[in-house]
Amino acid sequence: MIKSWKYPSGICTKYVCRNGAIRWGARKWVVVSTTLIEKYIGLEQIVPGKWRVYYRDTLLGYLDERELRIQDQLGRLLRAE
């Protein structure tokens, strides 16, 4: 059995939908990963428009609101092969 996880206060949580993405605002989508379908991710705002993205205590990368894409720590865009 997988233990439940609670993100710390100050972390915004988003549900990863069946398409592998989270809703951003009313009409936009940000692709996360199909491996995280039906799970919650955490987002921590660093500066306006830039967020750290976590799954539980693992840093997945950084979300830039202008690009609506998640990048890794080195700034490379994560892309499906």
Side-chain angles (χ1 to χ4, degrees), residues 15 17-24 26-31 68:
Y15 181 76
C17 296
R18 295 192 55 79
N19 63 359
I22 57 171
R23 276 203 175 273
W24 198 259
R27 297 184 180 159
K28 297 177 183 173
W29 292 92
V30 177
V31 174
L68 290 178

Side-chain angles (χ1 to χ4, degrees), residues 42-56:
L43 294 108
E44 177 183 34
Q45 190 169 35
I46 305 167
V47 294
K50 192 92 162 172
W51 302 75
R52 283 188 189 105
V53 181
Y54 294 94
Y55 175 65
R56 295 183 171 229

Side-chain angles (χ1 to χ4, degrees), residues 2 5 7 17-19 21 23-24 31 38 44 48-49 55-56 59-60 63 68 73 75 78-79 81:
I2 298 174
W5 180 265
Y7 288 98
C17 296
R18 295 192 55 79
N19 63 359
R23 276 203 175 273
W24 198 259
V31 174
E38 297 182 346
E44 177 183 34
Y55 175 65
R56 295 183 171 229
L59 177 65
L60 300 177
L63 169 64
L68 290 178
Q73 303 90 295
L78 299 177
R79 300 182 193 275
E81 296 201 14

